[in-house]
Amino acid sequence: MSTVGTAGFRWAALLLAGLLAAACSSSSGGNDAGPEDAADGAAGADGDAEQADGDAGQADGNDDQAGDASGDPGQQHRPYLGILQFDVRHNLQDDSCLARDDCHLSLENEDDIAGWLGQIAAATDLAVLHWDRSVPWLVFAAEVPAGGDRVAFYDSRLDDGLRAWIDAFAAHFAALPHRYLALTPLNGVRDSISPARIDGSDDIAVAASCPVLAPGTQVQFSYDTGNGQQQASFDLQRAFTNFTLYLHDKLHPEYLALLIEANIFKNNCPEQWTDLVELYRAVHDAVRAEVGAGVKLFATLTFKDLLAYEVDRCVPLQFEDCTGSPSPPNYPQPDPLACFPLDLSALADLDQGDRLDLLALSFYPDALVMAVGEENLLRVYAEDWDGSSPCLMRAPYIPFSDPFAALERFGWHKPVAMAEIGARSCPTLAYLQEGNNTMILQPGADLSSQAFWLEHGLSTAEQRHFEFYVQSFLRDYRPIGLWTVRQGLLDPFIFSVFNTFSCMGLYDDQGQPKSSVTDTWEAHRH
C-alpha cells in the first residue's frame, strides 16, 4: 500500500508564506496571503491520508560569553552548532512508484535513527531533538506513583517503537558536550493541539483549530481502535508538563524550549493567544520548580514575524512578462525601519516574570526575497506548466537589507540563540492558490545564496555572541514531482512545503559536500 507520511511542517511554511505573499500582493494587489489555513496532511495513492506531525540549560561553556541582542564583537566567540534531526525520504520524483504501489514520503528516520544521529554528531557539538511529531498524550496523562521513577514509569507505558527512538536520542545526547531539547503542545500548523500517538499510531486529532488552551483545560476526543470509537481525555497542562519532565530526565538538556514558534499561533489564533501564554507560564513555573536554575527555559519565536517583515511594505516586487531577457532591477535601496518595523508583543508576553532565559529565533531567510546570490528571479508559471513553456511573469529579488541589524532595536539584554535556520541552494516549485486561480511559483536560489546566508548567519552568531546555532538539514533530498499534485497523491500545500526544503542541507542528496556551503560550516565549527 502506498503511504505518504508528513510532518508538522508549519515551520516550513514560514518560507513558503513569504514567497506566496510576495507574488500575490505584488502581482495582483491582493491581500498578503499565505497558506495560513492549510492543514498538514497528504493522501496516499490509495486515498488514505496519513500525517506524522513531526518536525525537531545549564549552559556552562557559553554562559560566560553570552551577549545580548546588540552583541559585543570585541571578543572571539563561537556558538554551539547543532542540526535538526529531520531526514526526508521519498520516491516521488516520478510516478513509477504507482505501478509498484510503494509511494512513500517521511520526515523522521524511523529505520536507523542511531546511525543517522551518528552522522549528525560528526558535524556538530550540540545534540538537538526538535519534537514536532505526535505526542503520546494518554501516556503522560497518568501521574508517576509516589516514590516512583519518572523515566522508568513512562518508559514502561510507551510503545516499543517510540521508546527505542527516544533511547537513540538519549545515547546521542549523552555523547555530545551540549544538549538542546525543543518541545511544544501545538500541532505543526500552530493552530491547535498536537495530535496524539496511541499504541504506535500517529496523527490522531484531539482538537479543532484555535481551541481553549488555558491551564486546567480538559481535552476530550475520540479515536478508532479498530473495533469502534473510544472516548478519551487528558489535562493539557498536566500531560504536557509530565511529557516535558520525562524528556528532561531522559535527555538532560542544557537548553529546553517549551513552545516552538509561538508567535505563529498568535497570528493564527489571536483570540486564544492569552490562553497559550497562560499555559506557557504555568508549564514554565512547574518545570522550573523541578529542574532548577541550571536549565535555560524559553519559547522559540519566528524572526520574520518579530521583524514584522512584509516584502510589499519593504520594497514591492516589480513583475514583468516573460518575454526577452529579464530587465535589470530598478529598486530603491530598502529602508531598514520600513522593512523591519518590529512586532515584539509576543516576546514581551512570554517574557513576563522573566520567563524567557534567552531569545531563540526561527528564521528561513529566503522568505525575505532578497538578492544575495546569482539566481535572483521569482518566476510564475501556469498551473498546467509542463516544464518546457516560458513563465507568465517574473520579478527580480529586492536589494539586501540586513535583518540581523534590527536586533539592536529589540531592547533585549539576555542571551540570544538561533533555534533553527536554513536557506536553499536551488530553485524550487510551489503552488500559489489565490481564490479560484492556481499558479506555480519558482523562487530562484543557488549555492552562492545558501553559502551567503550560512556565512552571514554564523558570522552574526559569533559577533553577537549567540549561545547556539541550529542548521535545519544535514542533507538535501530530491525534489518531488508535480505529478503528485496532478494525480491527487499530495495536496498543493504539502507538495510546496516539502519542495521548499529539498536543498537546504549541508550535503547533497548523495551525502557529498556542497563545496562552499559545507566548507563554511566546517570553518565555523569549534
Side-chain angles (χ1 to χ4, degrees):
M1 181 169 107
S2 301
T3 60
V4 180
T6 65
F9 250 133
R10 182 56 183 83
W11 54 276
L14 293 172
L15 171 58
L16 181 61
L19 295 172
L20 298 186
C24 187
S25 62
S26 299
S27 62
S28 66
N31 295 329
D32 188 18
E36 305 299 335
D37 299 323
D40 2 341
D46 57 356
D48 293 335
E50 288 196 31
Q51 294 169 277
D53 207 40
D55 247 325
Q58 189 165 325
D60 48 10
N62 271 16
D63 218 22
D64 295 335
Q65 301 179 9
D68 57 24
S70 60
D72 177 7
Q75 182 181 5
Q76 177 64 27
H77 165 82
R78 290 196 175 184
Y80 308 138
L81 299 185
I83 301 174
L84 299 182
Q85 79 273 3
F86 304 124
D87 179 22
V88 174
R89 300 183 180 190
H90 73 83
N91 61 351
L92 306 179
Q93 65 275 11
D94 59 50
D95 64 0
S96 60
C97 65
L98 291 177
R100 299 189 304 270
D101 197 25
D102 67 352
C103 300
H104 66 268
L105 169 62
S106 61
L107 177 65
E108 299 282 8
N109 186 315
E110 304 281 359
D111 299 326
D112 182 20
I113 185 60
W116 177 246
L117 293 178
Q119 295 182 49
I120 291 176
T124 61
D125 62 358
L126 176 73
V128 180
L129 172 52
H130 183 101
W131 190 294
D132 217 351
R133 59 187 295 168
S134 300
V135 175
W137 290 116
L138 299 185
V139 168
F140 294 97
E143 296 288 354
V144 180
D149 179 89
R150 180 184 284 125
V151 169
F153 176 73
Y154 290 122
D155 270 349
S156 70
R157 296 171 60 86
L158 289 170
D159 63 88
D160 292 344
L162 186 58
R163 184 173 59 253
W165 195 79
I166 295 172
D167 284 344
F169 278 93
H172 179 57
F173 271 52
L176 288 181
H178 306 288
R179 301 164 299 282
Y180 167 42
L181 171 63
L183 305 174
T184 183
L186 300 176
N187 66 350
V189 182
R190 311 288 188 243
D191 70 348
S192 189
I193 299 168
S194 175
R197 179 181 175 102
I198 299 177
D199 297 331
S201 296
D202 283 314
D203 304 311
I204 297 169
V206 300
S209 295
C210 301
V212 174
L213 296 174
T217 295
Q218 298 292 317
V219 180
Q220 299 182 351
F221 67 103
S222 62
Y223 64 97
D224 188 354
T225 65
N227 295 311
Q229 291 292 308
Q230 174 70 44
Q231 300 296 315
S233 66
F234 60 92
D235 182 293
L236 178 61
Q237 176 191 340
R238 181 184 306 143
F240 185 62
T241 300
N242 289 341
F243 175 58
T244 300
L245 291 173
Y246 160 76
L247 284 176
H248 167 270
D249 292 358
K250 185 95 173 181
L251 304 180
H252 306 291
E254 302 167 58
Y255 301 97
L256 176 51
L258 304 174
L259 284 175
I260 298 172
E261 297 172 336
N263 45 350
I264 297 180
F265 183 85
K266 183 180 182 184
N267 294 341
N268 288 336
C269 304
E271 294 184 1
Q272 284 72 36
W273 171 245
T274 299
D275 278 4
L276 183 63
V277 171
E278 290 178 354
L279 178 65
Y280 172 79
R281 293 171 182 169
V283 173
H284 171 282
D285 293 353
V287 171
R288 173 64 75 212
E290 289 269 353
V291 305
V295 180
K296 292 195 173 180
L297 304 180
F298 52 94
T300 79
L301 295 161
T302 56
F303 191 34
K304 180 174 175 285
D305 289 322
L306 292 174
L307 295 171
Y309 177 85
E310 296 178 15
V311 67
D312 205 36
R313 182 167 53 193
C314 181
V315 178
L317 290 172
Q318 299 172 355
F319 279 89
E320 65 176 5
D321 292 337
C322 296
T323 55
S325 300
S327 301
N330 185 27
Y331 292 121
Q333 189 62 30
D335 175 1
L337 294 179
C339 294
F340 311 121
L342 306 188
D343 178 3
L344 306 180
S345 55
L347 178 63
D349 289 343
L350 293 167
D351 192 39
Q352 187 178 87
D354 200 27
R355 289 184 173 91
L356 294 178
D357 289 336
L358 54 79
L359 169 60
L361 303 173
S362 169
F363 187 36
Y364 291 88
D366 290 324
L368 304 183
V369 202
M370 291 181 174
V372 298
E374 298 174 4
E375 178 55 55
N376 295 313
L377 280 178
L378 173 61
R379 295 177 173 87
V380 182
Y381 297 91
E383 181 183 10
D384 60 355
W385 182 60
D386 62 1
S388 62
S389 56
C391 58
L392 300 176
M393 55 184 176
R394 64 194 173 211
Y397 286 7
I398 68 172
F400 173 73
S401 182
D402 188 2
F404 294 120
L407 286 169
E408 296 175 5
R409 296 187 280 120
F410 274 42
W412 182 261
H413 301 292
K414 292 188 282 186
V416 183
M418 185 59 70
E420 57 182 283
I421 186 170
R424 293 175 294 113
S425 64
C426 67
T428 56
L429 300 178
Y431 277 88
L432 168 63
Q433 294 178 297
E434 171 81 348
N436 294 325
N437 297 320
T438 300
M439 293 176 285
I440 296 173
L441 302 184
Q442 187 181 50
D446 55 29
L447 271 173
S448 65
S449 56
Q450 185 186 18
F452 170 86
W453 281 116
L454 185 61
E455 172 62 37
H456 187 52
L458 286 167
S459 294
T460 297
E462 292 172 3
Q463 293 163 7
R464 295 183 180 275
H465 292 189
F466 287 14
E467 293 214 1
F468 60 83
Y469 184 103
V470 178
Q471 156 71 13
S472 54
F473 285 86
L474 177 65
R475 285 176 55 163
D476 291 349
Y477 53 92
R478 293 166 295 180
I480 295 171
L482 287 166
W483 71 271
T484 56
V485 175
R486 292 167 179 170
Q487 298 197 38
L489 191 73
L490 298 178
D491 68 42
F493 174 70
I494 292 298
F495 167 89
S496 303
V497 164
F498 271 91
N499 266 0
T500 292
F501 285 84
S502 61
C503 53
M504 284 191 181
L506 299 176
Y507 296 81
D508 67 18
D509 61 1
Q510 300 300 310
Q512 297 301 307
K514 292 168 67 175
S515 62
S516 57
V517 171
T518 313
D519 292 344
T520 296
W521 180 262
E522 289 300 318
H524 285 269
R525 283 186 61 198
H526 285 227

